[in-house]
Amino acid sequence: MNKKTVQDVEVKGKKCLVRVDFNVPMKDGVITDENRINGALPTIKYLMDNGAKVILCSHMGKPHNVFNEKIKLNKKEKKAVEALPEEERAAATEAYIEKAKKDVKKYSLKPVADRLNEILGGKVTFATDTVGADATTKVNALKDGEVVLLENLRFDAGEEGKDLEFCKKLAAFCDVYVNDAFGTAHRSHASTAAIVEYGLVETAVCGFLIEKELTIMADSLENPVRPFIAVLGGAKVADKLNVISNLLEKCDALIIGGGMAYTFLKAQGGEIGASLVDNEKINYCNEMLNKAKTLGKKIYLPIDTVVAKSFPDPIDAEIEVEVVDSMAIPQDKMGLDIGPKTTELFANVVKSGKTVIWNGPMGVFENPTLAKGTIAIAKAMAESEDATTIIGGGDSAAAVATLGFADKMSHISTGGGASLELFEGKVLPGIACLNEI
Ligand code: AMP
């Protein structure tokens, strides 16, 4: 890792603006999973212990920009308004804006500030705005070792819009900028990159969470202990095009399961029945199969498949299934999980790896009958005790946690989108902008 961390700069008495990822799941104002808060604690505690004035900022969900004079409707609302007769549009727009104003509580970071204050022994205050009067007063009142959490950055359109004036106001809270929000490091928003990109802050470093994510994931990609096995699954090939191509160059073998496998099977001349397919990507799949051959790498695809007549509805409904050859799925059936032979094959390949990375379930794991393939991969990784095992966030991380294998993995990324972009070989804006060693 060639980026400076909080340990490389002087923080005593300095205003440290820390971008964290406090986008925690909440139900009725109660935090239902504190993982993201816990993930940020090492950096926050380090800064407090070393006498910094800590200004925390984060987004939460996708709220409307209620701190701006003109509240914009989201895409779905705009579409709904446009579908109405001309004379009804103004009233409908007004109704959406009123609802957005009422939703402020739903997206407020206040419950996170309260919880953090409990954890950190009463040292945390909360600012009811982001860069306004309350935030300014509270930031100016901070003593060394104290913390303020600003309200949800996305209440202000300047955050996602990378507005220069908004960035300037944020930068006024900041002698040292610390990015510790790996989950948003692939975004170029005001607080994740732009305040540094615009030259408004000179000292920009990462916190311990980003340091850990980068050290484990980027280093494993660049210098893996071999054999290096990559496992990809999930619904769509299109989402993972560049990931497949980049991983093929780095890994020794690539396992492809889940909904995305059927486009590959069709590309090989298989009958895939009513399974998920992306016909526009068949050529791409052939290119990847050829690329693997040229590079002397192996792509493992399902050899047998668990099929059903239709997608389970609701998703966890009881479902009647059978196992068929992956290249000969009956016309009226769809593949919804890898079959037992494939499960054994994939698990053995996983176990042969010294570095294993995984992103995307092997089947519709939300349904107990269709979760067996995904469970088997998680179990094989958990049992690979002397291998570096990395879960790339998102659904696979959720599956591993639900199955109780979380503490058996070397690393579970806190950023699904960000880790996928790392796997793609992209440079993440939230990391690129930081000072180099
Ligand atoms: P992704 O967001 O691309 O990682 O996809 C995750 C989703 O893929 C999960 O909700 C799974 O239910 C779904 N999925 C996995 N396998 C299949 C399949 N064979 N057919 C349809 N959906 C699938």
Side-chain angles (χ1 to χ4, degrees):
M1 222 220 15
N2 62 347
K3 294 293 176 182
K4 283 192 180 165
T5 78
V6 278
Q7 286 177 304
D8 296 319
V9 289
E10 181 58 69
V11 297
K12 178 145 184 47
K14 299 269 166 73
K15 281 186 283 182
C16 294
L17 179 76
V18 190
R19 177 51 156 104
V20 286
D21 181 4
F22 282 165
N23 184 25
V24 292
M26 287 227 249
K27 200 162 187 273
D28 305 324
V30 178
I31 301 164
T32 54
D33 181 345
E34 291 188 2
N35 267 333
R36 287 189 168 147
I37 299 179
N38 295 334
L41 285 178
T43 299
I44 300 171
K45 284 185 180 160
Y46 173 86
L47 292 171
M48 291 171 78
D49 291 347
N50 285 277
K53 298 177 170 73
V54 186
I55 299 108
L56 301 174
C57 60
S58 173
H59 77 284
M60 157 84 83
K62 291 192 173 133
H64 289 80
N65 48 302
V66 287
F67 285 173
N68 298 94
E69 268 170 46
K70 244 183 141 216
I71 297 174
K72 289 189 210 117
L73 302 192
N74 63 31
K75 270 191 207 148
K76 210 170 138 202
E77 292 165 349
K78 255 192 220 156
K79 230 174 139 191
V81 168
E82 277 159 20
L84 293 171
E86 180 84 52
E87 63 277 14
E88 290 174 28
R89 289 184 193 167
T93 303
E94 204 40 51
Y96 277 125
I97 289 173
E98 282 312 305
K99 183 176 176 303
K101 287 182 187 160
K102 285 193 191 122
D103 271 352
V104 170
K105 227 174 147 194
K106 189 166 139 196
Y107 294 106
S108 173
L109 282 168
K110 173 82 169 50
V112 179
D114 291 343
R115 179 67 191 120
L116 203 58
N117 194 36
E118 277 170 24
I119 298 171
L120 297 174
K123 297 257 189 218
V124 184
T125 51
F126 176 67
T128 54
D129 53 22
T130 50
V131 291
D134 194 44
T136 307
T137 308
K138 288 187 173 140
V139 168
N140 289 338
L142 280 179
K143 296 199 187 78
D144 293 357
E146 287 183 348
V147 181
V148 59
L149 172 62
L150 308 181
E151 180 55 290
N152 190 347
L153 292 165
R154 288 192 188 164
F155 280 151
D156 199 305
E159 165 65 0
E160 290 181 271
K162 293 169 65 161
D163 176 58
L164 179 61
E165 287 312 308
F166 181 73
C167 288
K168 281 185 183 165
K169 288 180 187 162
L170 260 187
F173 296 160
C174 180
D175 302 316
V176 175
Y177 168 79
V178 181
N179 193 357
D180 211 19
F182 184 72
T184 47
H186 59 312
R187 309 253 180 245
S188 177
H189 293 161
S191 70
T192 61
I195 69 165
V196 190
E197 289 169 353
Y198 291 158
L200 302 170
V201 191
E202 258 175 47
T203 310
V205 299
C206 65
F208 296 118
L209 180 63
I210 284 200
E211 184 190 21
K212 185 174 165 217
E213 296 267 12
L214 281 188
T215 307
I216 299 185
M217 289 206 285
D219 288 0
S220 291
L221 281 177
E222 291 317 315
N223 302 301
V225 181
R226 295 187 182 276
F228 174 19
I229 313 292
V231 186
L232 290 178
K236 295 185 213 113
V237 182
D239 287 355
K240 290 175 191 164
L241 294 182
N242 298 326
V243 184
I244 298 170
S245 182
N246 191 47
L247 283 181
L248 260 184
E249 285 166 26
K250 314 239 180 234
C251 69
D252 298 298
L254 177 61
I255 292 175
I256 297 180
M260 63 193 284
Y262 305 105
T263 309
F264 278 89
L265 293 167
K266 187 166 176 185
Q268 288 191 318
E271 292 290 339
I272 57 161
S275 308
L276 208 60
V277 65
D278 185 343
N279 284 314
E280 282 176 20
K281 295 292 174 293
I282 296 216
N283 282 344
Y284 171 84
C285 291
N286 275 322
E287 271 171 39
M288 289 303 109
L289 292 163
N290 287 333
K291 182 172 177 172
K293 246 186 231 154
T294 312
L295 293 170
K297 310 281 173 79
K298 177 100 182 135
I299 292 185
Y300 289 92
L301 290 168
I303 48 176
D304 61 348
T305 295
V306 176
V307 298
K309 268 213 145 61
S310 57
F311 198 85
D313 181 25
I315 200 154
D316 57 352
E318 247 179 66
I319 186 161
E320 204 173 297
V321 295
E322 62 179 304
V323 177
V324 299
D325 185 321
S326 294
M327 295 296 272
I329 298 176
Q331 279 211 330
D332 60 339
K333 298 278 169 72
M334 58 173 65
L336 295 171
D337 192 13
I338 54 176
K341 283 189 205 146
T342 309
T343 301
E344 195 184 335
L345 169 70
F346 285 5
N348 284 334
V349 177
V350 164
K351 283 184 197 158
S352 73
K354 286 278 173 280
T355 304
V356 187
I357 63 172
W358 179 27
N359 187 294
M362 294 292 104
V364 183
F365 74 104
E366 297 91 335
N367 186 300
T369 310
L370 306 168
K372 295 191 181 86
T374 303
I375 294 174
I377 294 293
K379 195 158 174 277
M381 283 181 80
E383 285 169 3
S384 300
E385 273 170 18
D386 58 345
T388 302
T389 45
I390 297 173
I391 312 293
D395 277 334
S396 342
V400 165
T402 317
L403 298 167
F405 293 129
D407 59 350
K408 294 272 186 343
M409 304 296 171
S410 311
H411 182 65
I412 300 181
S413 177
T414 54
S419 64
L420 263 188
E421 292 201 11
L422 267 191
F423 294 169
E424 270 179 47
K426 277 196 190 161
V427 178
L428 311 184
I431 289 161
C433 70
L434 304 178
N435 300 157
E436 297 202 346
I437 293 171

